[in-house]
Amino acid sequence: MINMTKLKLAIQKSGRLHEDSMNLLKECGISINNGVNRLKAEASNFPLEVFFLRDDDIPQYVEDGVADIGIVGENVVLEKEKKVREVEKLGFGKCRLSIAIAKEKSYNTSKDLEGMRIATSYPVIVRKFLEKNNIQAEIHEISGSVEIAPGIGLSDCICDLVSSGSTLFMNGLKEAEIILRSEAELISGKELKEEKEELLKKLRFRIQSVKKAGNNRYILLNAPNDKLDEICHLLPGMKSPTVLPLAEEGWSSVHSVVNENDFWGIIENLKANGAEGILVIPIGKMVL
Ligand code: ATP
Ligand code: MG
């Protein structure tokens, strides 16, 4: 099958998104033979070719059709303003693009930025933020180590990516205002050939199954029969919980799926309603 259509995916070569991107493919059942320092690799069991690039270049490659799809931070997509479709948020690479100022300075509203010099690698996003809030400030574009700019007198504040805030703290800065919350997303060219759209659909279906499974847990528990109604009510499951009789008279085994976000609340209520022997198991894939 030499001429088989392949979907071309661009991911970060190395850096914060590389490993999670590779893991996502793996969880989607796609194996990639990635030799060290290679620019390109092929999947052995899905019609997919992977390009390893700097994250900044990915939107351009996708716009040009050199790659059909890409995985990149929303921050980069918005900054580059390329003609691409934002297809699917991926749930990793979460960070904030924030204004940070010297710890000892006060900051109440974005109006406090009036007249300031802001150092950033995100001039487009910052300019839009300033325009939207009607603020006159000076943008100094720098490509790296933005956090040192105030300390060396280059700027009054910065706008940069933050996750824990420890880099800011080490540089005597504090987060003053969040401009954007970002995570990695799947992007695609505006128009793909029909065969490639079909492949993208298949890939998205797998990604969605992996994402849903990641947020859900399989739960098994033993319930006294006279409490079954209350307990089943706490466990909506995908359709409704599975209830099986236990060998011991008057007891049943209940199986269901719960979401990680409401997990602890549900467990407490289950216990309060007489549930025993609660087991919680991760789910590999969830196909709905
Ligand atoms: P490249 O060499 O590919 O250009 P880079 O140095 O520009 O890499 P990384 O620091 O690896 O980029 O970050 C890649 C992406 O990871 C960011 O654009 C952002 O979407 C996300 N990210 C998540 N948390 C953070 C963080 N704390 N700081 C920076 N980026 C983060
Ligand atoms: Mg980069």
Side-chain angles (χ1 to χ4, degrees), residues 239-252:
K239 273 213 171 79
S240 70
T242 307
V243 179
L244 302 164
L246 283 189
E248 189 180 329
E249 188 83 7
W251 283 80
S252 297

Side-chain angles (χ1 to χ4, degrees), residues 19-277:
E19 233 176 87
D20 285 330
S21 304
M22 292 297 281
N23 265 335
L24 178 66
L25 293 176
K26 195 167 141 203
E27 284 172 1
C28 287
I30 299 173
S31 2
I32 286 159
N33 320 307
N34 178 20
V36 188
N37 280 330
R38 282 179 55 188
L39 285 173
K40 219 168 92 172
E42 298 220 353
S44 52
N45 52 0
F46 193 91
L48 185 81
E49 228 177 325
V50 184
F51 296 107
F52 302 100
L53 301 167
R54 287 209 47 197
D55 68 343
D56 315 65
D57 299 333
I58 291 176
Q60 181 75 62
Y61 279 103
V62 171
E63 179 183 299
D64 294 344
V66 174
D68 303 306
I69 57 175
I71 294 177
V72 69
E74 210 177 339
N75 51 303
V76 174
V77 177
L78 293 175
E79 181 62 28
K80 298 295 175 188
E81 297 186 297
K82 300 297 172 193
K83 296 187 197 73
V84 296
R85 273 188 293 166
E86 299 181 57
V87 174
E88 185 93 44
K89 295 223 190 315
L90 298 175
F92 59 82
K94 288 192 178 167
C95 56
R96 311 180 288 279
L97 183 65
S98 293
I99 301 274
I101 61 167
K103 255 183 262 176
E104 61 281 2
K105 283 198 185 162
S106 74
Y107 185 95
N108 298 308
T109 72
S110 52
K111 286 280 170 223
D112 295 346
L113 295 171
E114 190 71 39
M116 281 197 185
R117 293 165 303 160
I118 309 171
T120 186
S121 314
Y122 292 88
V124 172
I125 298 175
V126 174
R127 181 174 38 75
K128 284 189 177 161
F129 172 81
L130 294 175
E131 278 168 8
K132 199 175 120 210
N133 292 283
N134 217 352
I135 298 160
Q136 308 294 322
E138 222 178 280
I139 298 171
H140 283 254
E141 183 179 354
I142 47 179
S143 59
S145 304
V146 175
E147 64 282 356
I148 65 166
I152 58 173
L154 182 71
S155 72
D156 304 302
C157 65
I158 65 167
C159 183
D160 202 10
L161 295 175
V162 185
S163 49
S164 70
S166 58
T167 309
L168 293 182
F169 185 80
M170 282 189 306
N171 286 281
L173 302 170
K174 65 178 178 192
E175 192 172 1
E177 170 116 23
I178 299 171
I179 290 194
L180 172 77
R181 285 179 195 278
S182 175
E183 64 184 83
E185 59 184 21
L186 186 68
I187 58 170
S188 88
K190 282 275 186 203
E191 274 175 59
L192 300 185
K193 290 213 181 82
E194 206 182 313
E195 284 166 301
K196 298 210 172 185
E197 280 295 349
E198 280 306 309
L199 290 175
L200 175 56
K201 225 165 107 186
K202 281 190 188 163
L203 180 65
R204 280 184 76 184
F205 178 73
R206 293 194 189 190
I207 291 174
Q208 284 163 0
S209 302
V210 169
K211 265 171 62 185
K212 277 188 199 118
N215 286 332
N216 286 289
R217 300 286 178 268
Y218 194 76
I219 182 166
L220 296 109
L221 57 90
N222 296 330
N225 287 345
D226 57 354
K227 287 287 174 71
L228 268 178
D229 280 351
E230 288 95 325
I231 286 177
C232 287
H233 191 70
L234 291 167
L235 290 170
M238 285 199 277
K239 273 213 171 79
S240 70
T242 307
V243 179
L244 302 164
L246 283 189
E248 189 180 329
E249 188 83 7
W251 283 80
S252 297
S253 166
V254 180
H255 301 206
S256 188
V257 172
V258 292
N259 193 281
E260 197 178 37
N261 300 324
D262 350 294
F263 180 76
W264 289 108
I266 290 179
I267 299 281
E268 279 160 22
N269 286 332
L270 288 172
K271 285 180 66 167
N273 278 283
E276 290 181 8

